[in-house]
Amino acid sequence: MKLPLNWLKDYIDPKLKTEELAHRLVMAGWEVEAVETVGEEVVLELEITPNRSDCLNVLGLAREISAITGKRVQYPKVKSYKPTADKISISIEDKKDCSRYIGTLIKNVTVADSPGNLQVRVNSLGLRPISNAVDVTNFVLMEIGQPLHVFDYDKLTGGKIIVRRAKQGEKIITIDGIERVLDPTVLVIADEVKPVAIAGIMGGKDTEVTLSTKNVLLESAHFDMALIRRSSRKLGLRSDSSYRFERNVDWQGVLAGADRATDLLLNLTGGQLAARTDAAFVTKTPVKPIQIIPEQIETLLGLKVSLAQVKRILTSLDFKVSVKADKLTVNPPSFRSDIKETVDLIEEVARTIGFDHLPTSLPQIKAKNLTVDDHPRRVKKTLRQALMACGVDEVVTVSMTNAKDLNKCLQKDLKQVRVLNPLTVDQELMRPSLLSVFMPVVIGNFNRGQKNLRVFEIAKTYSPQGEKTTLGLLLTGSRYQDWRLSRKEQMEYSDIKGVLENCFCALGVDVSFEKQGQMSLDESDGSILTVKGEAIGCAGKLNKAILSNWDIKHQDVYFAEIDLEKVFALPAKSVHYKPLAEFPAVIRDVSLAVKKEIPYGAIEKLCRSKGGSILVDVQFIEQYLGDKIQPGYKGLVFSCLYQSNTKTLREEEVHKAHQSIIQAITGEFGAILR
Amino acid sequence: MDFSQLQQQAKQEAQDITDTKSREEYRLKYLGKKGIVAEIFASLSSAALHEKAAIGKAANDLRTLVNHLIEEKSKKTASTSIKPEQVDISLPGTSSVLGHQHILTQTIDEIVSVFEKLGFVTVETPEIETEFHNFTGLNIPLDHPSRDSFDTFYLDQQDRSAQGRRLLLRSHTSPGQVRIMKEHKPPLAVIVPGRVYRPDAVDASHSFMFHQLEGFLVDEKVKFSDLKGLLTEFCRRFFGKDVKMRFRPHFFPFTEPSAEVDISAGTLGLARKKWLEILGCGMIHPNVFKAVSYPSGKYTGFAFGMGIERMAMLKHGIKDIRLFYENDVRFLKQF
């Protein structure tokens, strides 16, 4: 909202420097976004909150400035015009849509340029002066906030005004020259045959006032705020009028606006008042008086105020206040439709005193009724710490993705939640997995030459079943190596597995990695993570097809995704102390050759089942895949740890247990000792 | 075996030690796992019974001698001829690298920790919301211009709790208030951090996804002065004790009176003479209490909401909101 200070001075002179006035306005809730100088004019650009449509005009702000400064407002002197015996034909189809329509017919006008002082006012709003008739409507709109329209009366077929819903497919060319196709959700002003204006939003080209117009019909009306808002959005058409109507226009201001404009039109166009008709329906129940006692203010603000002080503040804002004993009965003015109950009055008092003058205290925060399950938050925190300790950086990616990226990740079959009104097609879907939002991060960094990435995110993924907290982890490029080692090695499956093992170790959760095909993952390098037999996620090398879809050529990418809702459901880590071993352990290394396809895990599992109670651990040492072994075989080295918590083990006991392990693995897997 | 000859040999060879390398070779030759002393001990098992004691003693003597010779030699090398290996202490340390927490989650953690120390409880509520929680329960009617600042993404999902209405992505964290108050009676002191969504075109200061933190305190006799006091305390702890701030009236449908809080740019070391808006707040509107079926007039409370990105940008001098979501590792590794 533009507030030209010269114009303001027609009604009130705050006698303040611009900077001080701006500061006082800000501290009373009128945010000054800019101070502009247009020629001779200083114009404040104000942000008016949607509850205060009464201040979308210069007089409204003059009233506020009066309350802040104590200076009085000089209202312009306006004649009042009564409805005439000669009627204008106004019919209103639904009084809910239009609760008041004042038509004023002025005949024998001379449409010409406005006088200089009116042009100055119009210019100060950043508008172009058009003609005396049109400029008057813009001037009155900005002076008192009542939107107005003037029709060329002779172009209204039948001389009639009909306020009705548009018919399906009905068309109108608005004064901006654009043809608009209407439907029954839109309210129009029509004559006998056609719409002549989109009610409350914009007039029609056919009936606009031109230099040749002889007779003018002035419209001052009140339209339903929600209806205007919906129509304006639907048509994608906003105007100074619609902006005010959708924020609500003062029902009583309809007459004030008609009178002020009639006055000016008669003066400036030399026309004569031919007819005035006021089609009014009082649909609103009169506002009930609001009661307030100063103690209520103290209770809510912590500030002691006197009865007299409250009365003075509210009166300065044009509220009618009567005092009985310790109670005030308050009638807000008709233009303050935002004032409905006692708290609204308390806000007026607080605002006028200034929030900076209100006291400050520290609240008493008592024991809460609310007990929160903090487990999920602790899990997330633990995971974050573990991941960072593993050298993984946290990312925050957008929650939306799109069909193209899902396709590139081979994830188009995942169940999707669609955004009905996305800004761009790039954000048409809620991400069902973190993969399709991680890949752009990878590409973005690759493009900047950053090829070694270790990233994770803990955030939501979405499906028609709802949203769930998910951990995504992605590793690519060379493993971190310190300078003592010369060779850079690419990360591989064991790197992502190691990070995940650390995570679950920190959570105290026993997780197994099982081989299973997963669409996005490479067949040989992919695994499903399970806890107590239930799948909670997957980890592995991304499928070659995905890499080629994203144009990644020279390096592998490892990705893991864990459903944290399933992890949250697991019991929290609880550790029971195990007594430290008192007796020495015996270690026996095993070095063997087995067929390449036999997984080490199966051998370890067999060892554990055959080692008896004294086998306390099996530790992997190394794998040999070179050519110094028979073809099709690999070398494995691991150690078996034997220990008892009741005695020192004898050689024979260890030997016996170890032999049964060796027999089992040579027998079952055809392993050859090396 | 001629043990005295072995001793002579050991003495002789000790003369040839000139540096740490030759000293280590010498040590291994005599005392290593497969060294001479170990060999002598190994031969014990096959030795005749009456020889065992003598052999054992001889082996021990040899070990003592070799150890002595090495020690002598080491002392000498320390003082004169041999230079010990120099450590270049300017080389980088070696350890596994640490990952970096994203500055947004760090900021959330920091703000959450301030409020938790002041007695607030953290609750996370869903991003996919109903119109009731996001709007109606917060005194934001349908088709009302107060919805303008809360433009919303709608989803192709039906709201099972409201016939014919669709689910949406919350446009602020305030629905947390309604959800929590619906389930719990006061006293309540709760913060709700999380992601929010608005169809804003992306530029340096706008994003269609960002983060907020909502807080509210409801009890009997909570006052506006408490709100001022609490937020002043928060700003001191988050921005530093010299922070200059102001409360100015504003409008939110769900609070009355409503305020916005600004901090002075000078406080952040910025030269510009300017106030920077950091959060919105106010006393919870009676209609919100009505929506969650609290008895009329029994409770008062305040609520506040702040943008995490904005707090992080102000505190760390980040000028472009898009940096948060681009995840350039050069950005990530700065925090």
Side-chain angles (χ1 to χ4, degrees), chain A residues 227-294:
Chain A
L227 176 67
I228 298 301
R229 178 179 159 80
R230 279 196 302 266
S231 307
S232 153
R233 300 209 137 199
K234 180 158 197 164
L235 296 169
L237 180 59
R238 300 184 76 185
S239 64
D240 286 336
S241 292
S242 70
Y243 189 75
R244 283 165 180 77
F245 276 122
E246 67 173 60
R247 279 162 173 71
N248 203 18
V249 158
D250 177 21
W251 196 84
Q252 292 186 10
V254 178
L255 180 59
D259 285 354
R260 177 68 162 154
T262 302
D263 229 14
L264 292 169
L265 285 173
L266 291 177
N267 276 333
L268 297 180
T269 65
Q272 300 95 41
L273 180 69
R276 155 75 67 94
T277 298
D278 185 352
F281 309 92
V282 181
T283 51
K284 294 199 177 103
T285 47
V287 184
K288 262 198 265 169
I290 305 165
Q291 316 274 329
I292 184 170
I293 50 174

Side-chain angles (χ1 to χ4, degrees), chain B residues 263-292:
Chain B
I263 59 171
S264 139
T267 310
L268 300 173
L270 302 173
R272 287 173 302 157
K273 190 184 163 198
K274 209 182 154 184
W275 290 94
L276 303 163
E277 171 198 329
I278 54 160
L279 57 83
C281 60
M283 301 303 291
I284 296 173
H285 198 288
N287 287 352
V288 177
F289 290 140
K290 202 192 266 175
V292 299

Side-chain angles (χ1 to χ4, degrees), chain B residues 137-155:
Chain B
L138 288 163
N139 196 34
I140 311 173
L142 259 170
D143 291 320
H144 194 273
S146 57
R147 276 205 185 189
D148 280 353
S149 33
F150 301 98
D151 261 357
T152 307
F153 286 117
Y154 280 84
L155 302 175

